[in-house]
């Protein structure tokens, strides 16, 4: 039977060969995207793991000579620079990953991207922050991305021990876990599921191509004596041949374009080519799972033939789907709503709480889809005023499962996009950076330690001498911990940042003259501080604030001067919003990844739709031919086909987007107590373009209708 099935698959005439090529090509696209998804998840995990290795945990004491390690963040023109300060305490100290030796005092290694930046930037703006000599570049093993800006600076043990966030390590780079970021885990999980489901649906739809015609052929075999088991083997062999060929082609496509895919900054940073790898389990899952799934789909599609040789001709209307299909959807929403006010404490607990709820909603949408399609079809039938609308509505109502199968990928794609972009947009809106060009973006400040009693006048003079610098002010620490953190004599407040209240001589001010969640203002009135004017200069210095004209050169030169004056800074000199911008940039990277996924998912859904429409036309050639013979114009039949796909697609699009925003709101409320922020125009543009592309795919299949529904079809069938 296997040999006979192979002959039918490859030597069954033009129709069989065409079907084999179409199925193999479809499976190749689906398998290739499935491989890209699995490799992309490995790449993201590898990237996060290397990033986490820059922030290692302290090692157990007393095991070898420790390596002193301190990781801090610096900034240059809005880009984050990760600075790692190290010192070897003995010959047995471990060597940082990515460099041949541990740098000594006055030595450093830089990443390739930072090397290019140093060469292209005036030394006063950047290179002067790292006095000494460069020993070379940092290897890929220590870098999250080819674009990462990283510097490893050497010190003596005494200097390193005084640095903030310092730790002693007896091993580096081993068994470093990926960052346990709940939001990232959720976004990756939902996006991966959102692409995997359309891929699997696409593969399943492709393997069901011409299922009705094969049912007739297999039914004829049953009538001449073939057993159900033999029919199942033949069907599974035919499907497996196409799936195996398509899977092999999918692997070839993946490895052919792996380098180009790694160069795309899906997460905001490029991957190394080696990051896009497949684990043995990934290879086995795709190599065995796709052909097995195709064979299973073929086996399931022939269940009527296995019941009776006449099962194909004795067709009846399937039982309508019941409302119980909504239960998983309701449970998923309830699960997310339950954790509002009950958020687990740990990141792992939060992921375990929220991710199953989102995946349950996704599964619930797929399960509830046929019921929703049936309800929509009945509404359309009740409101139909033309024959095409009535025929389309009646067919959808009679077999809503078949009508929904083609558009299920679109529903999942839109749901995933709505959740991901809704969460990301809201977080960026609440924790985003300052606007470029504003007064805030022209203000540079650095916080000092509690024991900093004064600032050299020469430092302030040097800062004020930089072109573009308008003020340089030392803000003293406020002894009243319940008020603004700084105090300053009213005469020393720069005009760009406000003034004192009437009659006050000392003001309580923000550490950088910009209150939290507010902007700098020349009209701000600072409250009086109960500190005698003569005592202000005796208070420790809290921060140094530099007001500039906003030019990059003035900001970076000032930052370099402050970095050299206070190389052991706890918090690097920064512009308001730069710390938040690093987080926001990461989230924008995930938003970009979500946009890529929605385009790919909608493309897959469109392909599934095209295969389903073409397959439906092929299976209904005789009914459509009879309608034409009875006087129905071709344009009416085209409207029937278009409405059968377009109406449920637009209906489920509304449901999917609405459920996506509901799920995003529930997660944001439970996890961060945020209210959902409406996505920007780009989200709606992507949705509209994606749906328009799907409509275009439907329209492209309509010309086939006239060619396959001639009178000869009615006579020959």
């Amino acid at each position: 039977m296997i040999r006979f099935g192979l002959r039918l698959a490859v030597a069954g005439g033009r129709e069989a060969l065409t079907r084999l090529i179409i199925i193999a090509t479809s499976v190749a696209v689906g398998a290739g995207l499935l491989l890209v998804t699995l490799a992309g998840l490995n790449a993201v995990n590898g990237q996060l793991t290397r990033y986490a290795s820059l922030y290692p945990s302290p090692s157990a004491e007393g095991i070898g000579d420790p390596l002193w390690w301190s990781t801090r963040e610096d900034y240059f023109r809005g880009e984050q620079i990760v600075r790692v300060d190290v010192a070897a305490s003995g010959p047995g100290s471990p060597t940082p990953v990515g460099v041949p030796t541990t740098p000594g005092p006055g030595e450093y290694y830089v990443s390739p991207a930072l090397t290019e930046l140093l060469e292209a930037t005036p030394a006063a703006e950047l290179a002067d922050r790292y006095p000494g000599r460069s020993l070379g570049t940092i290897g890929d093993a220590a870098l999250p991305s080819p674009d990462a800006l990283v510097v490893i600076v050497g010190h003596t043990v005494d200097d390193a021990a005084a640095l903030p966030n310092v730790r002693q390590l007896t091993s580096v780079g081993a068994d470093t876990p990926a960052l346990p970021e709940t939001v990232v885990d959720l976004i990756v999980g939902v996006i991966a599921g959102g692409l995997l489901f359309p891929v699997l649906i696409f593969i399943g739809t492709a393997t069901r191509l011409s299922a009705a015609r094969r049912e007739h052929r297999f039914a004829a075999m049953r009538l001449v004596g073939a057993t159900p088991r033999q029919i199942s083997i033949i069907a599974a062999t035919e499907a497996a041949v196409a799936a195996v060929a398509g899977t092999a082609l999918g692997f070839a496509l993946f490895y052919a374009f792996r380098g180009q895919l790694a160069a795309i900054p899906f997460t905001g940073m490029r991957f190394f080519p080696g990051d896009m790898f497949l684990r043995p389990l990934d290879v086995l899952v795709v190599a065995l799972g796709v052909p097995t799934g195709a064979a299973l789909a073929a086996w399931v599609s022939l269940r009527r033939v296995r019941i009776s040789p006449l099962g194909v001709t004795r067709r009846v209307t399937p039982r309508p789907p019941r409302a119980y299909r909504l239960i998983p959807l309701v449970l998923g929403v309830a699960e997310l709503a339950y954790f509002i006010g009950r958020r687990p404490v740990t990141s792992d607990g939060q992921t375990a709480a929220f991710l199953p709820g989102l995946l349950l909603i996704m599964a619930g949408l797929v399960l509830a889809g046929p019921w929703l399609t049936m309800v929509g079809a009945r509404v359309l039938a009740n409101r139909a005023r033309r024959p095409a609308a009535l025929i389309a509505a009646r067919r959808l109502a009679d077999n809503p499962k078949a009508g929904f199968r083609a558009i299920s990928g679109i529903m999942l794609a839109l749901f995933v996009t709505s959740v991901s972009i809704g969460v990301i947009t809201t977080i960026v809106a609440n924790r985003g950076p300052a606007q470029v060009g504003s007064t805030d973006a022209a203000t540079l400040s650095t916080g000092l330690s509690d024991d900093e009693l004064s600032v050299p006048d020469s430092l302030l003079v040097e800062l004020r001498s930089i072109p573009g610098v308008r003020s340089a002010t030392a803000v003293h620490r406020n002894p009243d911990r319940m008020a603004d953190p700084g105090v300053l004599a009213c005469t020393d407040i720069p005009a760009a940042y406000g003034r004192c209240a009437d009659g006050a001589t000392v003001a309580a001010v923000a550490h950088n003259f910009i209150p939290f969640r507010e902007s700098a203002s020349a009209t701000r009135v600072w409250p009086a501080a109960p500190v005698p004017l003569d005592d202000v200069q005796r208070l420790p210095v809290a921060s140094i604030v530099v007001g500039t004209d906003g030019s990059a050169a003035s900001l970076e030169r000032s930052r370099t001067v402050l970095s050299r004056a206070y190389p052991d800074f706890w918090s690097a000199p920064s512009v308001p919003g730069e710390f938040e911008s690093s987080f926001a940039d990461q989230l924008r990277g995930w938003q970009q990844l979500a946009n890529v996924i929605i385009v790919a998912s909608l493309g897959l859904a469109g392909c599934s739709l095209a295969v389903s429409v073409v397959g439906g036309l092929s299976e209904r050639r005789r009914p459509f031919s009879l309608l034409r013979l009875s006087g129905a114009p071709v344009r009416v039949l085209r409207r029937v086909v278009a409405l059968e796909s377009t109406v449920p697609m637009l209906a489920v699009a509304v449901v999917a987007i609405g459920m996506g925003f509901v799920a995003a709101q529930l997660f944001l409320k439970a996890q961060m107590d945020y209210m959902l922020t409406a996505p920007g125009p780009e989200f709606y543009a992507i949705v509209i373009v994606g749906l328009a592309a799907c409509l275009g795919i439907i329209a492209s299949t309509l010309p086939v209708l006239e060619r396959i529904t001639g009178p000869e079809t009615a006579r020959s069938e």
Side-chain angles (χ1 to χ4, degrees):
M1 284 297 108
I2 294 178
R3 184 181 303 174
F4 182 59
L6 290 173
R7 289 190 59 187
L8 288 178
V10 301
R14 180 185 301 176
E15 180 181 348
L17 183 61
T18 302
R19 182 173 64 246
L20 177 66
I21 293 174
I22 293 175
I23 294 176
T25 303
S26 302
V27 172
V29 174
L33 285 173
L34 188 58
L35 292 170
V36 170
T37 303
L38 296 174
L41 292 176
N42 293 334
V44 170
N45 186 67
Q47 191 176 77
L48 294 178
T49 298
R50 289 194 301 274
Y51 188 82
S53 68
L54 297 174
Y55 300 82
S57 300
S59 304
E61 298 181 2
I63 306 177
D65 296 323
L67 175 72
W68 292 80
W69 182 294
S70 173
T71 305
R72 295 174 290 168
E73 291 81 29
D74 197 1
Y75 301 93
F76 178 81
R77 300 192 180 185
E79 297 291 330
Q80 186 185 72
I81 300 174
V82 178
R83 173 172 176 155
V84 179
D85 297 280
V86 297
S89 61
S93 298
T95 301
V97 175
V99 297
T101 59
T102 302
E107 299 175 338
Y108 59 88
Y109 290 94
V110 290
S111 64
L114 185 55
T115 300
E116 296 178 4
L117 192 60
L118 289 170
E119 294 173 351
T121 305
E125 295 184 21
L126 183 58
D128 288 348
R129 302 180 198 178
Y130 316 115
R133 65 189 183 97
S134 173
L135 298 180
T137 58
I138 302 172
D140 296 349
L143 303 176
S145 164
D147 301 325
L149 303 178
V150 182
V151 57
I152 301 178
V153 182
H155 292 274
T156 64
V157 171
D158 291 340
D159 290 340
L163 294 174
N165 303 320
V166 69
R167 61 211 68 185
Q168 298 183 56
L169 307 176
T170 54
S171 64
V172 293
D175 300 323
T176 304
L179 295 179
E181 178 60 59
T182 304
V183 174
V184 171
D185 290 343
L186 285 167
I187 292 173
V188 170
V190 174
I191 288 176
L195 185 57
L196 288 175
F197 275 113
V199 167
L200 297 176
I201 290 170
F202 180 38
I203 293 174
T205 302
T207 55
R208 292 173 58 89
L209 191 63
S210 299
R213 291 181 61 81
R214 283 185 290 165
E215 285 179 351
H216 283 90
R217 186 180 66 188
F218 291 142
M221 292 181 185
R222 287 291 313 278
L223 287 173
V224 297
T227 65
R229 181 175 179 275
Q230 290 172 328
I231 293 297
S232 298
I233 293 175
I234 294 172
T237 301
E238 279 191 300
V241 168
V244 168
T247 302
L249 182 57
F251 273 96
L253 291 173
F254 167 74
Y255 284 108
F257 295 100
R258 183 175 65 162
Q260 291 86 335
L261 291 170
I264 300 174
F266 289 126
T267 62
M269 296 188 295
R270 292 183 297 153
F271 297 119
F272 290 105
D275 289 341
M276 297 288 291
F277 71 94
L278 296 172
R279 298 172 299 175
L281 181 60
D282 300 331
V283 175
L284 287 176
V285 166
V286 177
L288 299 180
V290 171
T292 301
L296 183 62
W299 180 78
V300 172
S301 67
L302 297 175
R303 60 189 180 277
R304 289 178 298 183
V305 179
R306 293 196 303 273
I307 296 172
S308 166
L310 300 178
V312 175
T313 58
R314 296 177 177 176
R315 300 190 179 206
V316 296
T317 301
R319 284 197 313 174
R322 305 296 179 86
Y324 72 82
R325 289 173 170 266
L326 297 173
I327 293 177
L329 189 62
V330 174
L331 290 178
V333 173
E335 198 261 358
L336 292 180
Y338 171 80
F339 286 100
I340 296 178
R342 301 181 181 89
R343 186 189 69 174
V345 178
T346 65
S347 296
D348 291 340
Q350 293 163 16
T351 302
F354 298 121
L355 186 56
L358 293 172
L359 296 179
L360 188 59
I361 292 177
M362 293 171 65
L365 286 172
V366 174
L367 189 62
W371 185 83
L372 296 173
T373 302
M374 181 191 67
V375 172
R378 290 178 177 176
V379 172
L380 178 63
N382 293 333
R383 297 179 176 273
R385 296 294 181 268
R386 294 186 177 183
L390 183 60
I391 295 173
R394 291 301 302 170
R395 182 176 182 273
L396 284 174
D398 287 343
N399 193 0
K401 292 181 181 179
F404 174 74
R405 187 182 300 122
I407 58 174
S408 55
I410 297 174
M411 170 177 273
L412 289 176
L414 293 176
F415 172 77
V416 170
T417 301
S418 303
V419 173
S420 302
I421 293 184
V423 170
I424 293 169
T425 301
T426 302
I427 295 175
V428 171
N430 283 273
R431 299 172 61 179
Q435 296 296 319
V436 177
S438 68
T439 306
D440 296 3
T443 303
L444 182 74
S445 65
T446 184
L448 304 182
S449 60
D450 291 337
D451 56 0
E452 204 70 44
L453 298 179
S454 64
V455 173
D457 291 338
S458 58
L459 174 61
L460 299 178
V461 171
E462 183 180 4
L463 288 169
R464 292 167 184 156
S465 67
I466 297 174
V469 172
R470 296 172 175 172
S471 62
T473 311
V475 177
H476 294 267
R477 195 170 305 280
N478 193 341
D480 184 1
R481 299 292 182 180
M482 302 302 294
D484 283 311
V487 293
L488 193 64
C490 292
T491 54
D492 293 335
I493 300 177
Y497 300 105
R499 61 181 178 83
C500 281
D502 293 339
T505 57
V506 177
V509 299
H511 75 281
N512 60 351
F513 297 130
I514 304 174
F516 182 69
R517 293 298 180 194
E518 297 185 33
S519 297
S521 173
T523 60
R524 176 171 284 109
V525 177
W526 296 102
V531 178
L533 180 60
D534 295 338
D535 293 344
V536 171
Q537 296 300 323
R538 289 192 287 269
L539 293 172
V541 178
S543 61
I544 300 175
V545 185
V546 181
T548 73
D549 58 3
S551 64
S554 62
L555 283 169
E556 299 310 327
R557 287 190 63 181
S558 301
R559 201 191 314 257
T560 299
V561 170
L562 289 172
S563 297
R564 295 193 64 181
Y566 299 99
D568 56 346
F569 55 81
W570 280 85
S571 177
S574 60
V575 171
E578 279 185 326
F579 176 79
E580 293 86 351
S581 70
S582 300
F583 179 73
D585 287 342
Q586 184 185 30
L587 288 177
R588 290 192 186 97
W590 296 113
Q591 183 172 355
Q592 181 178 347
L593 178 59
N595 291 339
V596 172
I597 295 301
I598 180 58
V599 172
S601 298
L602 285 174
L604 281 172
C607 293
S608 299
L609 191 61
V611 171
S612 178
V613 172
V614 171
L617 290 177
S618 177
E619 294 171 359
R620 290 184 291 158
R621 289 190 297 180
R622 181 176 175 80
F624 281 153
S625 298
L626 293 174
L627 284 173
R628 286 190 63 185
L629 287 175
S630 64
V634 176
R635 64 176 181 274
V636 173
L637 301 183
R638 288 175 177 169
R639 290 195 191 106
V640 171
V641 176
L643 288 171
E644 285 179 353
S645 302
T646 302
V647 171
M649 181 182 72
L650 297 179
V652 302
V654 174
V655 174
I657 293 174
M659 287 304 304
F661 287 153
V662 168
Q665 171 59 42
L666 292 175
F667 166 72
L668 290 166
K669 184 66 176 177
Q671 176 70 14
M672 305 174 183
D673 199 24
Y674 290 163
M675 296 299 296
L676 180 69
T677 299
E682 66 277 1
F683 166 75
Y684 302 100
I686 290 175
V687 171
I688 292 173
V689 170
L691 292 177
C694 292
L695 293 175
I697 291 173
I698 296 173
S700 67
T701 63
L702 298 181
V704 180
L705 183 63
E706 186 173 3
R707 294 198 299 269
I708 67 175
T709 58
E712 66 280 358
T713 302
R715 289 194 300 268
S716 61
E717 291 285 339

